[in-house]
Amino acid sequence: MEIDFTLRSDPTAAFRSLDARSSTAVLFLHGITGSPVVWVPIARAVAAEGVDVSVPLLPGHGTTWQEMVPTGWADWLGEARTELGRLQADHDRVVVAGLSMGGALALALGATAAAPDGLVVVNPALHIDSPFAPLLPVLRRVVRTIPSIGGDIAHPDRDEYAYPRTPLAPLASFHQALRILREDLWKVECPVTAMVSGEDNVVGPRTLRSLRSNLPHPPHIVALRRSRHVATLDFDAPLIAEAVLSSARAGAGGASRVAGDGE
């Protein structure tokens, strides 16, 4: 599948391509401090195959880190749930694809009564891998921001346009929500494809262990051997696009396997 990485005039803006003749749709969710730019190239490629796509801009993102400070998990999940509902109202099949925090949001949607028909999660974040994570509820009151966690891409010419600073208050909200999400993974009945980079400097291996241990059905694991955390903009982007398209087109039996995958 051909993927065009040409940037739009406003790279961080929301992106939608909706055609009333399409019976399937994909909702793409970006990561914390990130924006739709991480998914737009893949979304355009999937749309070119006749599938409707929506890449919303989550609250507090795509502007400045200062505007992110008052937002948190409830705001991001609320926006994702609203957009999922819109797509489900007009389509027979809806798949959710998420990167990093977007992967966590996708799994949270999968644990609800109005779950999507399939999930594709790319380096999903189910843990904040820092020894200071348990202290976030206290640290957020004395430290406003930490250095950016963005930009973990092997490809030298790609940029995810993440914030230069990460506000601790939203991060603390995310950390608290992840504990509940891990406990709710048993509710996810739809097929899950988990795509995991061999080198990831943001999300550690605990997430994959949590998926394997807590999901009621084994996830389909796809190894991304040439990419780092922001794999949607990295060398394995075509493999991710194929997996998303496969999930969108799959029947009730679950997603088809894609070339180059691994268990």
Side-chain angles (χ1 to χ4, degrees):
M1 188 184 304
E2 291 292 327
I3 299 180
D4 180 7
F5 289 95
T6 303
L7 291 174
R8 298 172 295 159
S9 57
D10 184 358
T12 64
F15 174 81
R16 289 177 179 83
S17 178
L18 303 176
D19 184 338
R21 294 172 298 176
S22 176
S23 63
T24 60
V26 179
L27 170 60
F28 295 89
L29 300 172
H30 64 77
I32 193 168
T33 78
S35 73
V37 72
V38 300
W39 275 117
V40 167
I42 288 176
R44 289 189 298 214
V46 171
E49 298 291 329
V51 176
D52 281 355
V53 300
S54 176
V55 195
L57 177 65
L58 298 176
H61 293 77
T63 53
T64 64
W65 66 260
Q66 289 87 347
E67 292 195 18
M68 184 180 176
V69 171
T71 68
W73 176 262
D75 303 295
W76 311 326
L77 182 57
E79 178 67 21
R81 185 181 289 118
T82 297
E83 190 63 16
L84 175 62
R86 291 194 188 107
L87 295 176
Q88 288 175 324
D90 297 324
H91 299 83
D92 296 330
R93 180 176 177 82
V94 180
V95 167
V96 179
L99 168 69
S100 194
M101 180 192 75
L105 290 170
L107 289 163
L109 292 175
T112 65
D117 298 283
L119 302 177
V120 179
V121 292
V122 180
N123 295 321
L126 287 179
H127 300 269
I128 294 179
D129 292 297
S130 167
F132 299 104
L135 301 177
L136 280 171
V138 175
L139 288 176
R140 65 181 291 264
R141 302 181 186 280
V142 293
V143 179
R144 196 175 187 193
T145 68
I146 58 175
S148 173
I149 59 174
D152 189 29
I153 307 174
H155 197 290
D157 301 321
R158 309 273 165 77
D159 187 349
E160 69 166 318
Y161 289 83
Y163 287 154
R165 305 289 299 179
T166 300
L168 280 198
L171 192 63
S173 167
F174 183 35
H175 173 65
Q176 183 177 16
L178 289 181
R179 178 180 57 80
I180 299 172
L181 175 58
R182 292 192 298 271
E183 295 174 352
D184 284 347
L185 287 178
W186 65 272
K187 301 176 183 178
V188 179
E189 291 290 342
C190 61
V192 177
T193 297
M195 311 192 76
V196 183
S197 294
E199 180 180 353
D200 188 332
N201 297 303
V202 178
V203 172
R206 284 195 298 168
T207 282
L208 187 56
R209 292 197 295 268
S210 292
L211 286 176
R212 283 175 160 157
S213 299
N214 298 335
L215 286 174
H217 310 292
H220 172 47
I221 309 298
V222 179
L224 304 175
R225 296 181 174 87
R226 301 184 299 157
S227 302
R228 294 179 186 168
H229 182 67
V230 191
T232 55
L233 293 178
D234 221 325
F235 293 109
D236 290 305
L239 187 61
I240 297 170
E242 292 287 354
V244 171
L245 184 61
S246 176
S247 183
R249 289 176 169 172
S256 302
R257 292 183 178 271
V258 294
D261 63 354
E263 293 296 340

